[in-house]
Amino acid sequence: MYRGMPKKCDKLQVEIMKKNIPAIIIFAISVASLSYIMVATHVYSDVKEKIVSVLCLSCIKMDPKTVLEFRFETADGEDFPEFVLENLSKGPVFLHFRIDVCPACDEMDPIIGEIFDIDDIEKTILVKTKNFSGVKVTLIHINLDHAGGTFRDAYRSFDISKSGSVPMYTIVTLGYDRGIVKPCYATGYSFLGESSPVKAKKILVEMIKNAVELYRINREGY
Amino acid sequence: MRLQVKRTVSQLVSLFFANLGMRGLKTGFCYPFLYCHSCPYSMAGCPIGIMEHAVYKGKISLPLLLYPILLFSSISSIFGRAICGWICPIGLLQRATSRFSKNKLSKYLSAKIPDNIKNKIRYAKYVNLILLVIITPYLIGFMFTDVCPVGFLVGTIPIGLTNYGKFVPNPFFLPALVVFILFVVLITLSSRGWCKYFCPLGALMAPFNKISLLHVHVDKERCIHCNRCVEACPMGIDVPNMNRSMECILCGRCIEVCPKSAISYRLKL
C-alpha cells in the first residue's frame, strides 16, 4: 500500500498515515451502511411515524388536562370513522391507543385489561365486548405502531389536545344535539390527571358509565 | 472572525435547525446531538430515544439501533467529539452556565474532590450509555429518557409553557424534575459537567477521538508550559499531555489562548 510513497517519507509519517486508515475505513463502512439502512429499510419512516410524530406521555412527563366532556365535532373536523360507527350500533365504543415504546401505556394496559376482563392485552389490535349494566361496550385496543391508516386517522380525529400523544382513551356513544341523536365522544389521556393508574381506573370506569347512560337514553332515536 | 464567535454562530444555527418542527417539518432523521423529540418544535428523533426504541423490552430492531450509531461513527471518525463543542445545543447552554462554575463554591468543591475521583466519575457516561440506554430498556423497560434532564428542559418545560394550564404533571414528572434540578446544579458548579460526566452521546463519540482525522495538535517543541490552555479548557484536560484525549471536544479554547501558537487543529487525510 505504501510502495508508491516517496523514499524520503520517514517512519513517523508512515505511522501517522497508518493511524488515519482506521478512521477512513470506519467512515466508509459507516456511510455505506447508513445509506443502505436508509434506502433498504423502513427506518426513516419508523422514526418519523413511531417516534417523532406520536409521543409517549411518559416522555413528556405531563398529561393533557382531562375534561371528560362529550363532543360532537371530531378534532380534525372529519366524519366519525366507519369502523367506530359500525360498532356503535351495538353499544358505546371504547378506543384505546398506544405505541410500542411507552412506559405510561405499559402501566395503563393492565388497568384496561381489568376493566374489560382481558388477561393479555399485548396485541396489535384487539376487539372485546363487555356488558356494562345491560349495554354492550366494545373495546378496540390499537397499537399505532402497527396499525393501518384507518386507525391512525381515527386517532387524529379523537386527539382533542392535538398533542399527538399516547396512551389515549376515547369513548364514543350517542348524544342529543339540537333535536338530533348523533355520535359523540370523550377523550382522556395517560393517567387522566391522577397520580396513579389505580386512581385513573376509577375515572375510566366513570367515563364508561356516563357513556352507557347516554347510550341508554338516546339509542331509541339513533 | 474569532474561533469562539464561529462556535457560537454554529451552535445557534444548529439550535435553529433542531427546531424547524415549528414550521411543521417533522422528519425521520436522527439528531446528531442530544435533543429531545418531545420538544414541541423538534424536527427529528433523539438518538438516545431511537436506540432505546430499538431494544425496548427485548424486541430488538437492528436497523433502528444501528441508525444513530452509524450516524455518529461516520461523523465522529472525521471530526471526533467536535459535535459536542460546535453543534450541540446543550453545549451552548453549558457555555452560558460555565461562568457560574468559576464561583467560590465550585472552586472549593473542585479543590476538595481529588482528581483521580473526578476522572473516575467521568466513566459514569459510559455506564449511562450501556446500562440506561441499552440494558435496562432491554430488560425492564426503564429508559434513560424517562428521566433525561435534556428532555425535561427542551420538552416538558416548553410544552408546559406554551400550553399553560392545559397539561398536568403525571407520575413520571417528579423523578425527572429531581434529575433536572441535579443537572442544573451540576452544570452551574462544574464547567461542562454534563459533557464530562454523564452525557451518553459523549460516551458514544469519545473513543473516536483516538482515530479521528480532525484533532487538536500540540507542538511540544513550541510549548512553554504556561498552562494557559489547561486553565482555559472547559473539559479540564491537561492539554499539553492530552495525546488525543477522549474528553477533548475540539472547542478550540486552548488554541486561542496559547501565546506561542503551539496548539492547532489538524486534519490529516
Side-chain angles (χ1 to χ4, degrees):
Chain A
M1 188 165 182
Y2 301 103
R3 211 176 292 156
M5 288 170 65
K7 282 180 183 173
K8 62 181 177 182
C9 185
D10 60 12
K11 275 186 178 179
L12 182 69
Q13 280 172 305
V14 173
E15 197 63 31
I16 290 168
M17 278 203 76
K18 274 183 184 172
K19 277 188 177 174
N20 287 332
I21 290 169
I24 293 165
I25 291 172
I26 289 173
F27 175 74
I29 292 173
S30 299
V31 170
S33 309
L34 191 61
S35 309
Y36 174 78
I37 282 178
M38 294 292 275
V39 173
T41 73
H42 296 117
V43 76
Y44 180 87
S45 58
D46 280 355
V47 171
K48 188 180 175 187
E49 299 295 331
K50 298 179 182 178
I51 299 178
V52 179
S53 300
V54 182
L55 296 170
C56 161
L57 284 163
S58 43
C59 191
I60 298 175
K61 289 133 193 136
M62 290 191 296
D63 295 346
K65 205 179 245 177
T66 301
V67 181
L68 290 174
E69 59 179 21
F70 286 90
R71 301 154 187 255
F72 293 95
E73 289 293 318
T74 56
D76 59 357
E78 297 291 324
D79 292 337
F80 280 65
E82 253 180 55
F83 75 92
V84 172
L85 294 178
E86 279 168 19
N87 284 290
L88 192 61
S89 57
K90 291 177 259 172
V93 182
F94 186 93
L95 300 164
H96 173 219
F97 298 93
R98 69 159 295 163
I99 52 175
D100 275 341
V101 181
C102 170
C105 306
D106 290 343
E107 291 204 31
M108 285 303 289
D109 263 10
I111 299 294
I112 304 294
E114 277 176 32
I115 295 172
F116 284 91
D117 303 330
I118 302 165
D119 294 330
D120 179 22
I121 201 166
E122 281 191 22
K123 288 190 174 113
T124 305
I125 308 276
L126 187 143
V127 182
K128 171 90 195 282
T129 305
K130 190 185 170 186
N131 215 313
F132 286 85
S133 315
V135 175
K136 280 181 182 172
V137 178
T138 307
L139 162 75
I140 305 178
H141 164 84
I142 301 159
N143 184 330
L144 289 168
D145 283 350
H146 305 278
T150 314
F151 296 113
R152 284 186 166 268
D153 290 344
Y155 170 75
R156 276 187 281 272
S157 291
F158 298 127
D159 179 16
I160 52 169
S161 76
K162 294 188 177 165
S163 58
S165 49
V166 287
M168 186 179 98
Y169 328 96
T170 296
I171 187 134
V172 185
T173 185
L174 297 173
Y176 190 74
D177 180 34
R178 285 167 284 178
I180 307 167
V181 173
K182 289 200 280 192
C184 62
Y185 71 98
T187 295
Y189 297 85
S190 189
F191 299 98
L192 299 133
E194 295 295 327
S195 56
S196 70
V198 178
K199 287 181 181 168
K201 182 185 175 185
K202 286 181 187 166
I203 299 188
L204 280 177
V205 171
E206 196 60 34
M207 188 173 159
I208 294 168
K209 277 183 186 169
N210 290 343
V212 165
E213 195 53 37
L214 275 173
Y215 193 86
R216 203 199 299 273
I217 295 166
N218 294 308
R219 70 177 149 193
E220 290 300 316
Y222 187 55
Chain B
M1 200 193 290
R2 278 182 62 217
L3 207 56
Q4 298 312 310
V5 178
K6 285 181 190 170
R7 259 182 86 206
T8 309
V9 172
S10 156
Q11 285 169 322
L12 288 172
V13 168
S14 85
L15 183 65
F16 172 76
F17 277 102
N19 287 289
L20 277 180
M22 77 180 118
R23 310 295 298 167
L25 185 69
K26 297 281 179 188
T27 71
F29 291 118
C30 167
Y31 284 124
F33 43 74
L34 195 56
Y35 206 74
C36 187
H37 46 247
S38 71
C39 170
Y41 306 130
S42 67
M43 53 84 80
C46 162
I48 296 293
I50 293 173
M51 283 193 267
E52 290 169 344
H53 270 71
V55 298
Y56 191 70
K57 292 200 168 170
K59 294 171 194 161
I60 293 184
S61 164
L62 199 58
L64 214 52
L65 180 64
L66 289 176
Y67 184 23
I69 293 173
L70 291 171
L71 177 71
F72 279 95
S73 62
S74 52
I75 297 173
S76 298
S77 56
I78 305 293
F79 300 107
R81 269 183 86 175
I83 284 173
C84 305
W86 285 77
I87 308 285
C88 180
I90 305 307
L92 179 65
L93 171 75
Q94 289 179 93
R95 279 181 79 188
T97 57
S98 65
R99 63 187 60 194
F100 301 112
S101 66
K102 294 182 179 90
N103 62 25
K104 282 181 183 172
L105 176 64
S106 49
K107 279 181 182 167
Y108 171 79
L109 287 173
S110 181
K112 279 282 168 191
I113 303 169
D115 281 349
N116 62 337
I117 300 285
K118 279 189 225 164
N119 287 338
K120 279 180 184 159
I121 302 173
R122 285 179 193 255
Y123 289 104
K125 58 180 174 283
Y126 300 99
V127 175
N128 264 351
L129 176 66
I130 294 163
L131 188 70
L132 298 182
V133 180
I134 306 292
I135 295 177
T136 59
Y138 179 82
L139 294 177
I140 57 170
F142 176 78
M143 302 183 286
F144 173 79
T145 47
D146 285 345
V147 290
C148 176
V150 176
F152 196 92
L153 177 70
V154 304
T156 309
I157 293 175
I159 286 174
L161 291 177
T162 54
N163 299 278
Y164 185 72
K166 292 180 186 167
F167 279 80
V168 287
N170 65 21
F172 294 91
F173 185 86
L174 195 60
L177 177 67
V178 171
V179 174
F180 177 69
I181 291 169
L182 292 173
F183 166 78
V184 173
V185 171
L186 174 73
I187 63 172
T188 46
L189 286 181
S190 171
S191 166
R192 286 267 174 177
W194 177 251
C195 302
K196 273 193 262 188
Y197 304 119
F198 297 109
C199 181
L201 282 183
L204 187 61
M205 287 183 273
F208 289 97
N209 265 7
K210 290 286 181 196
I211 57 155
S212 61
L213 298 185
L214 181 73
H215 62 275
V216 171
H217 174 76
V218 183
D219 185 342
K220 289 194 175 177
E221 285 179 10
R222 279 196 197 173
C223 177
I224 54 169
H225 305 285
C226 63
N227 270 351
R228 284 190 200 177
C229 51
V230 179
E231 284 162 21
C233 179
M235 294 296 281
I237 303 169
D238 178 12
V239 180
N241 303 308
M242 72 173 173
N243 190 25
R244 304 191 67 149
S245 166
M246 294 207 288
E247 296 298 316
C248 179
I249 55 169
L250 290 92
C251 66
R253 293 273 295 273
C254 52
I255 296 171
E256 275 194 341
V257 297
C258 182
K260 292 288 174 187
S261 302
I263 311 172
S264 59
Y265 285 123
R266 277 226 175 147
L267 179 65
K268 282 273 181 182
L269 288 171

